[in-house]
């Protein structure tokens, strides 16, 4: 449905994107995941038409929209800081996209009003239509921003760090709610995040980006279990590099006779496991391993024998 | 010593009283007394004499001219200020810092010099003077010159007020509006203008106060022709030089009244402005 072909973009001397190719199917929920400066937001803004690439094309349903302005692409864009119009109440904010339509295409006032009510219900803010944005909590503002973007019935919903400014509890609830909304309405959505947990939990497919390039595109299972590059292995989930270039996840270690001796520096509970930090004899750096919390926690200064159960190896060429 | 410490920078009561007393005394001497004396002088020979001075034909012509000049230059500079700050805050382009510096130019140049620039450009011996004479158009010693000088002097006011405000607000709101299908004009009218309205009003107010009160630059280009090219400040000076103190102070009292109205309006705007500042950003 959406095809991005060989997109490159520079900001002055800084190359934000190098030759990006990506396809998104109808109904998919896609996460653009990467550290800051990886180009994920630039890519999202180029798809929206808020930014224009130096080279390359964007296709919607086969049509080249590269030169089209954002207003003509039929996309809903949700901004990181919501960008609600502060002098308009919630209902007016939501109705904005309909009320600025050309006279011939504009629905009647009553229709617009009914539609705003409907959307308020959809985002579970019924009765708050007359409030102003400053009177709402962060989570409520985010839902208003979403309702406003959905009012124009976009064929593609784009969200820039949609949960970035919210506290942990609200973020979790909103995440689940957005996931359901996406399914319910049959939307096609792309969101940007630097939070790997968020990407893995929400997205059908995760696009891992670094330094203006796509490192891997895959389901959360694929990017976690079969990272294509050392960057992905390091960025998605935790991992420790062993001598010899093996990357091992903390939960992929086991305590075993005949394993390597690990000197325990620190032990703390992490969810259902003990997180042990320590160092291998003769090797620099800190190693993180998880052991079952049903077992006794190792004492500080103790040496335990460990062995990786599973590891990812990358050829030396691919090592950063 | 059991003083309750409120703040490490709290002064002793005596020091505080002294500082406040000094500030008040200074204000009284340099602002309040002169203001009172303006009205006292104006009314020295009673209300009738005051009224006669204010309604004198030359005075009325000066008032009309001042209003006309403000009515032309304030809208022009409002449009210019909004356009310039829009360009500076929402776009990146080469020479942006040069443009910002140029906007400040009238503040850094003496008004007399600003007036002279226009004489050098449009005066009889000036660059464009002969051409203007050939086409029977007068700029210097005529109303167009006064308007030009006033526009030049007052153009920073609106822009200076809006540039930091618009930069601080960023362009998220505008991008949201266009992403929802709004045209450039709709975005400006429904989103940008409401966001900047208090700052804009404040800038317009200060621009107007200066447009009506400007003396130096206008004095150079006006030619001081009574009933024709005298604005209120120039008229005050002429009357004063002719020892018509009641007349001078009567017209001056109108300008002082304008200043007070401006001050009150400014305070009200600042108060509203606070309420709409980014603290309440959505």
């Amino acid at each position: 449905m959406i095809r991005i072909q060989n997109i490159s973009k520079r900001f002055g001397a800084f190359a934000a994107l190098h030759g990006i190719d990506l396809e998104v199917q109808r109904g998919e929920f896609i996460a653009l995941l990467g550290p800051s400066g990886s180009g994920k937001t630039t890519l999202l803004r180029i798809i929206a038409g808020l930014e224009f690439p130096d080279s390359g094309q964007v296709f919607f349903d086969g049509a080249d929209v590269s030169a089209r302005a954002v207003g003509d692409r039929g996309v809903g864009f949700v901004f990181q800081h919501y960008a609600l119009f502060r002098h308009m109440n919630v209902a007016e904010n939501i109705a904005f996209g309909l009320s600025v339509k050309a006279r011939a295409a504009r629905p009647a006032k009553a229709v617009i009003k009914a539609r705003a009510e409907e959307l308020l219900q959809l985002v579970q803010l019924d009765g708050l239509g007359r409030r102003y944005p400053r009177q709402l909590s962060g989570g409520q503002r985010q839902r208003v921003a979403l309702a406003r973007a959905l009012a124009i019935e976009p064929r593609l919903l784009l969200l820039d760090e949609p949960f970035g400014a919210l506290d942990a509890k609200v973020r979790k609830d909103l995440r689940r709610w957005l996931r359901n909304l996406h399914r319910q309405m049959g939307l096609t959505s792309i969101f940007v995040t630097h939070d790997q947990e968020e990407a893995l939990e929400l997205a059908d497919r995760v696009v891992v980006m670094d330094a203006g390039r796509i490192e891997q595109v895959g389901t959360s299972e694929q990017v976690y279990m079969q990272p294509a590059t050392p960057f992905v292995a390091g960025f998605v989930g935790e991992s420790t590099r062993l001598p010899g270039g093996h990357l091992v996840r903390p939960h992929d270690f086991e305590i075993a006779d005949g394993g390597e001796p690990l000197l325990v520096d620190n032990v703390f509970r992490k969810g259902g496991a003990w997180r042990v930090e320590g160092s291998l004899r003769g090797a620099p750096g800190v190693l993180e391993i998880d052991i079952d919390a049903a077992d006794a926690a190792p004492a500080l200064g103790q040496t335990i024998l460990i062995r990786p159960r599973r590891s990812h190896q990358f050829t030396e060429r691919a090592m950063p | 010593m059991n003083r309750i410490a409120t703040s490490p920078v709290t002064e002793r009561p005596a020091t505080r009283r002294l500082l406040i007393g000094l500030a008040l005394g200074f204000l009284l001497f340099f602002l309040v007394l002169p203001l009172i004396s303006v009205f006292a002088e104006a009314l020295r020979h009673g209300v009738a004499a005051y009224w006669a001075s204010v309604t004198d034909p030359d005075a009325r012509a000066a008032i009309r001219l001042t209003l006309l000049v403000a009515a032309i230059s304030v809208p022009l500079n409002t449009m210019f200020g909004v356009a310039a700050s829009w360009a500076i805050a929402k776009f990146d382009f080469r020479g942006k810092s040069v443009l910002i510096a140029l906007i400040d130019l009238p503040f850094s140049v003496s008004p007399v010099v600003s007036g002279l620039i226009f004489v050098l450009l449009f005066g009889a011996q000036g660059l464009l003077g002969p051409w203007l004479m050939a086409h029977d158009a007068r700029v210097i010693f005529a109303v167009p010159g006064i308007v030009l000088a006033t526009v030049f002097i007052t153009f920073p006011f609106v822009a200076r007020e809006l540039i930091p405000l618009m930069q601080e607000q960023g362009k998220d709101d505008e991008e949201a509006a266009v992403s929802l299908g709004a045209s450039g004009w709709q975005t400006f009218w429904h989103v940008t203008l409401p966001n900047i309205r208090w700052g804009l009003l404040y800038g317009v107010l200060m621009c107007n106060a200066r447009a009506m009160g400007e003396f130096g630059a206008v004095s150079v280009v006006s030619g001081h022709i009574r009933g024709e090219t005298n604005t209120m400040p120039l008229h005050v000076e002429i009357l004063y030089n002719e020892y018509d103190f009641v007349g001078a102070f009567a017209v001056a009292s109108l300008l002082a009244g304008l200043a007070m109205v401006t001050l009150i309006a400014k305070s009200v705007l600042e108060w509203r402005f606070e309420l709409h500042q980014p603290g309440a950003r959505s």
Side-chain angles (χ1 to χ4, degrees):
Chain A
M1 184 224 168
I2 289 151
R3 192 153 56 86
I4 290 147
Q5 202 174 298
N6 200 23
I7 293 274
S8 294
K9 173 78 181 173
R10 306 182 69 87
F11 294 108
F14 175 70
L17 295 172
H18 310 263
I20 298 284
D21 292 300
L22 182 67
E23 282 198 36
V24 176
Q25 302 309 317
R26 186 180 301 280
E28 265 194 310
F29 204 169
I30 298 284
L32 303 179
L33 173 66
S36 55
S38 60
K40 55 193 192 304
T41 297
T42 306
L43 180 58
L44 190 80
R45 289 171 59 85
I46 286 175
I47 297 171
L50 289 169
E51 209 86 67
F52 291 89
D54 299 333
S55 63
Q57 276 112 35
V58 179
F59 297 92
F60 284 9
D61 296 319
D64 186 349
V65 297
S66 311
R68 262 191 236 171
V70 56
D72 301 326
R73 291 196 190 186
V75 297
F77 200 99
V78 177
F79 291 82
Q80 186 178 2
H81 300 290
Y82 324 127
L84 296 180
F85 307 132
R86 71 204 80 160
H87 59 279
M88 296 182 199
N89 66 31
V90 168
E92 288 165 344
N93 262 283
I94 295 176
F96 185 83
L98 297 174
S99 49
V100 295
K101 277 183 190 262
R103 197 174 294 265
R106 194 191 310 150
K109 271 221 168 82
V111 177
I112 294 181
K113 211 174 152 211
R115 179 89 183 111
E117 275 309 313
E118 230 173 85
L119 282 158
L120 272 171
Q121 245 166 37
L122 179 75
V123 299
Q124 298 163 358
L125 292 173
D126 3 359
L128 298 187
R130 316 215 24 186
R131 295 268 187 96
Y132 281 85
R134 64 177 172 277
Q135 299 168 307
L136 302 180
S137 72
Q140 288 173 326
R141 287 179 200 177
Q142 184 60 285
R143 281 183 280 159
V144 174
L146 200 60
R148 185 179 66 177
L150 291 174
I152 56 168
E153 295 175 10
R155 52 180 161 181
L156 176 64
L157 185 62
L158 303 169
L159 308 105
D160 185 10
E161 298 269 4
F163 314 107
L166 302 171
D167 57 61
K169 172 79 175 77
V170 178
R171 196 183 308 179
K172 204 158 181 196
D173 292 344
L174 209 57
R175 214 141 80 181
R176 195 173 305 132
W177 175 82
L178 181 66
R179 174 84 234 186
N180 289 336
L181 189 79
H182 170 86
R183 286 200 192 126
Q184 233 177 63
M185 298 191 63
L187 296 168
T188 307
S189 316
I190 303 177
F191 73 103
V192 157
T193 181
H194 61 262
D195 180 347
Q196 41 116 356
E197 198 185 312
E198 201 166 281
L200 297 183
E201 182 185 323
L202 276 177
D204 299 320
R205 286 194 300 150
V206 178
V207 178
V208 186
M209 297 182 66
D210 182 43
R213 290 196 168 81
I214 293 181
E215 293 277 319
Q216 185 174 6
V217 182
T219 63
S220 43
E221 175 71 6
Q222 284 166 347
V223 296
Y224 192 81
M225 296 307 287
Q226 299 143 31
T229 66
F231 174 81
V232 177
F235 191 74
V236 180
E238 297 167 299
S239 63
T240 304
R241 184 186 300 175
L242 294 181
H246 293 270
L247 287 164
V248 190
R249 305 243 183 249
H251 53 75
D252 282 340
F253 282 104
E254 60 187 354
I255 296 182
D257 296 332
E260 296 283 318
L262 178 86
L263 180 64
V264 177
D265 290 330
N266 191 20
V267 180
F268 58 93
R269 176 173 278 281
K270 193 166 191 226
W274 294 114
R275 167 62 54 92
V276 178
E277 294 173 352
S279 50
L280 287 177
R281 190 177 311 141
V286 178
L287 215 105
E288 296 174 315
I289 74 169
D290 285 349
I291 58 179
D292 197 325
D295 298 341
L300 298 190
Q302 192 188 341
T303 301
I304 54 176
L305 299 177
I306 55 151
R307 183 171 67 194
R309 265 189 301 233
R310 187 181 323 125
S311 69
H312 306 284
Q313 173 140 43
F314 299 94
T315 59
E316 281 305 315
R317 191 185 51 80
M319 297 301 290
Chain B
M1 286 299 279
N2 60 349
R3 248 192 324 140
I4 299 162
T6 46
S7 148
V9 291
T10 298
E11 307 293 345
R12 279 184 316 176
T15 321
R16 209 181 324 159
R17 271 198 294 275
L18 181 73
L19 284 173
I20 294 173
L22 264 176
L24 275 180
F26 198 82
L27 279 178
L28 195 73
F29 188 75
F30 283 103
L31 285 176
V32 181
L33 274 183
L35 198 60
I36 292 172
S37 73
V38 166
F39 284 95
E41 284 294 328
L43 292 165
R44 171 178 295 244
H45 299 298
V47 178
Y50 176 86
W51 188 247
S53 308
V54 172
T55 52
D56 167 82
D58 286 349
R60 274 163 46 191
I63 295 170
R64 264 200 307 275
L65 181 60
T66 294
L67 291 177
L68 174 75
V69 169
I72 297 172
S73 53
V74 172
L76 276 180
N77 278 330
T78 303
M79 280 188 281
F80 166 78
V82 171
S85 21
W86 174 286
I88 286 166
K90 314 278 178 187
F91 301 109
D92 286 313
F93 53 91
R94 268 165 190 278
K96 195 160 153 172
S97 49
V98 177
L99 181 59
I100 297 177
L102 279 179
I103 288 174
D104 274 343
L105 188 70
F107 278 176
S108 48
V109 172
S110 162
V112 176
V113 175
S114 310
L116 277 175
I117 295 168
F118 287 101
V119 174
L120 288 176
L121 267 178
F122 300 112
Q125 269 78 48
L127 217 56
L128 303 172
W131 184 87
L132 284 169
M133 288 235 257
H135 290 78
D136 205 23
R138 282 185 71 98
V139 172
I140 299 306
F141 305 148
V143 176
I146 298 172
V147 172
L148 276 176
T150 308
V151 168
F152 179 83
I153 290 293
T154 59
F155 81 60
F157 285 93
V158 173
R160 289 250 36 125
E161 194 55 44
L162 290 185
I163 289 167
L165 179 66
M166 285 171 100
Q167 276 177 332
E168 138 86 38
Q169 288 180 343
K171 46 188 176 190
D172 273 13
D173 285 14
E174 281 77 13
E175 287 186 345
V178 289
S179 82
L180 292 165
S183 64
W185 183 247
Q186 283 171 323
T187 302
F188 175 73
W189 202 247
H190 296 301
V191 175
T192 306
L193 201 57
N195 277 349
I196 60 168
R197 59 187 159 185
W198 300 114
L200 179 62
L201 260 171
Y202 185 96
V204 167
L205 191 72
M206 299 318 283
C207 180
N208 181 60
R210 185 63 186 268
M212 291 190 173
E214 173 56 23
F215 179 83
V218 169
S219 173
V220 176
V221 294
S222 137
H224 307 272
I225 306 166
R226 275 189 188 224
E228 276 181 45
T229 64
N230 264 346
T231 60
M232 284 164 77
L234 302 182
H235 190 62
V236 171
E237 196 211 15
I238 289 181
L239 292 177
Y240 185 82
N241 286 345
E242 290 170 350
Y243 305 104
D244 180 359
F245 294 129
V246 169
F249 281 106
V251 178
S253 75
L254 294 180
L255 285 170
L258 168 77
M260 284 192 293
V261 170
T262 305
L263 209 63
I264 292 166
K266 177 173 167 280
S267 308
V268 171
L269 277 179
E270 270 167 359
W271 174 70
R272 299 244 25 184
F273 205 19
E274 288 293 299
L275 294 182
H276 292 82
Q277 269 301 297
R281 266 205 90 173
S282 45

